[in-house]
Amino acid sequence: MPSKPAPIKKSPAKKAAEKAPEPAPEPEPAPVEAPPAEAPPAEAAAPAEEAPAAAAPAAEGEGAPVAPAVDTPAAEGTDAPPADVPAADVPAADAPAAEDSAAAPAADTADAPADAAPAEPAVVEEPPKAPTPPPPAVPTSAPLDVSVEDVNDSSLTIKWKTPEIIGDSGLDGFTIEYCKDGTKDWVVAQEELTPVNRYCIKNLTAGDLLHVRVVAVNPGGRSEPATLAAPVPIREVVDRPKIKIPRNLRARVVRQVGEQINLVIPFLGKPKPVVSWLKDGQPLDTKRVNIRNSDKDSIMFIRTSEREDSGVYEMSVKVDSFEDKALLTLQVVERPGPPTSVKLVDAWGFNAALEWTPPKDNGNTEITGYTVQKADRKTGEWFTVLEHYHRLTATVSDLIMGNSYSFRVFAENKVGTSESCVVTKAVATIQKTGINYKPPEYPEHNFSEAPKFTTSLCDRAATVGYTTKLLCSVRGSPKPKIEWLKNQMVIGDDPKFRKLSNQGICSLEIRKPCSFDGGIYTCRAKNAQGEAAVSCKLEVKQIIISEEKGK
């Protein structure tokens, strides 16, 4: 057998080059100027066997980034080493040729990055701007509507509303402070801020007269204080003030001009409350309105009311720091004034169109309607044609031809009709026109109709000796003549048969029929338009009595 060929041996340098993995792509570093290459000293040269080992890390990309090569003059008789190879790894110029061949793979691998294109210069970023400092903290506005909620001989409860302006700094809470009347030593009522809008100050001395204020606090500091309107006496209130308005006064109170007004409003409270009245937010005119107060009620009295007395009256009862208020609306009304103007817009046929404007004075109440009247110039008497009319335009109809008319309009409200009116300046004249009346011609209707039976005769069975009756109904115009037939033979004036005809109902009564009265009976109706007939069969049965019953 032929022998196998001997395997071809590869040099160690080629094996190392084949086994070396391809370098992974890396970002290109910024170009760096390489120093001029210098020939390494002979005594610093490394053995040729170390060159492949030094080239392998460079090929794997583990070392520092390689700078592009720069052509530099080399010493005579020696090849210049690459700029990116350390001096210790470069062989000496007088190294043997075998060592040069061993170091060739390392030199080729090191020169590969040198052939790549130079990287773009790095972009210089601007330094970030400093953040805008937050606005300085600002205190809130003062709390609103500080009032007393409860008081006794040892504590005081107050309430208030949140400040209208809080701002970006927010609101941490409220501080309550108080001091005795006549001093300025404000004492903080609580150790920590309270977040709610209500607080009870405890452990107070009975009989003291205290001023109380509330301050809102946030990171910006304290707000302006909100103080109670009057100092509060620390004592027990037996009955809080309460106004009890009667049911008939809870809605709007309406009175006519000239009427006497006497309104009694009861209230509760102990000790005796202080009663005060306001009209539209202003003090009352004591010349017009008299107020009489007692321990249980307050009376508002106006002897002769006028429209100027209309308004919103506010009654308040107060015991120390507790107060109750009630509103009373009074409206004094009278008749309205006349409409501002009225105009005759048009007149045609037997009609006239009017138009007017509302009155300037409505009597202090809404206008509910208008009354329109007409008058003939011949008689001068006024007649109402429209009453409680709501629109500002109207059409008056049914005027008499040949007459001339004037019109006037009154305004109405809840009190009544205006005392004066406004009259049209123009006159509506209804012209005479020639009229030729021709009565309509109505054709005469022919109601003639041939006889027609609406209910026909029915076959019947009768018993011997028992009277029976045959019935049918017929219509026709003129009234048809009725005939009865038996077996196609006219029944004459036989007393056994009784013939009747009333309102189209025809009947034939057979008195105590016998077996010979059976047969075909016919009713025939005749008139000028024609005739009609109906028939039926009558069967007369004999009563059969059995022999056993006879025995």
Side-chain angles (χ1 to χ4, degrees), residues 172-376:
D172 294 343
F174 300 93
T175 298
I176 293 84
E177 301 174 351
Y178 65 91
C179 72
K180 293 184 179 181
D181 188 31
T183 66
K184 295 185 179 179
D185 300 331
W186 291 95
V187 180
V188 179
Q190 84 275 29
E191 297 179 358
E192 298 180 356
L193 299 177
T194 176
V196 297
N197 294 10
R198 179 182 177 277
Y199 188 77
C200 179
I201 307 174
K202 299 180 180 180
N203 301 326
L204 300 177
T205 304
D208 288 348
L209 192 62
L210 299 183
H211 294 270
V212 183
R213 67 184 184 184
V214 182
V215 179
V217 181
N218 71 350
R222 292 163 56 92
S223 68
E224 291 292 330
T227 311
L228 278 174
V232 183
I234 305 302
R235 65 177 181 178
E236 185 71 26
V237 176
V238 179
D239 290 331
R240 294 190 179 184
K242 178 67 176 177
I243 301 174
K244 304 181 73 174
I245 298 182
R247 185 181 299 274
N248 61 333
L249 301 180
R250 293 177 186 176
R252 185 184 301 269
V253 180
V254 181
R255 296 289 187 271
Q256 293 188 23
V257 172
E259 286 187 2
Q260 188 180 85
I261 298 176
N262 190 15
L263 304 179
V264 180
I265 302 177
F267 57 81
L268 302 175
K270 192 173 182 181
K272 181 181 177 181
V274 177
V275 182
S276 60
W277 285 81
L278 296 175
K279 178 192 174 185
D280 297 330
Q282 302 296 327
L284 291 180
D285 183 5
T286 55
K287 296 180 181 179
R288 294 283 315 148
V289 183
N290 296 324
I291 301 295
R292 288 176 286 184
N293 299 323
S294 65
D295 294 342
K296 297 182 179 179
D297 55 34
S298 179
I299 301 174
M300 185 180 73
F301 178 76
I302 301 177
R303 186 174 301 276
T304 305
S305 60
E306 297 180 0
R307 289 177 58 174
E308 290 75 12
D309 297 326
S310 301
V312 179
Y313 291 80
E314 179 182 343
M315 174 185 174
S316 63
V317 291
K318 187 174 183 181
V319 177
D320 293 342
S321 300
F322 297 97
E323 185 178 12
D324 190 20
K325 297 181 179 180
L327 297 178
L328 182 67
T329 303
L330 177 63
Q331 184 178 6
V332 181
V333 299
E334 62 179 343
R335 291 186 177 187
T340 307
S341 63
V342 63
K343 182 175 65 171
L344 178 64
V345 179
D346 191 12
W348 72 99
F350 303 99
N351 309 304
L354 303 177
E355 183 180 50
W356 60 90
T357 54
K360 293 181 180 180
D361 181 13
N362 61 358
N364 201 27
T365 184
E366 62 179 354
I367 299 297
T368 58
Y370 298 92
T371 299
V372 182
Q373 295 181 347
K374 68 177 180 178
D376 186 359

Side-chain angles (χ1 to χ4, degrees), residues 124-169:
V124 179
E125 297 182 358
E126 297 181 1
K129 297 181 180 180
T132 304
V138 179
T140 67
S141 60
L144 305 174
D145 300 339
V146 181
S147 60
V148 177
E149 186 179 69
D150 191 14
V151 65
N152 54 33
D153 55 357
S154 62
S155 65
L156 170 64
T157 304
I158 63 172
K159 60 182 180 179
W160 62 91
K161 293 183 180 179
T162 306
E164 184 177 0
I165 301 175
I166 295 179
D168 298 334
S169 302

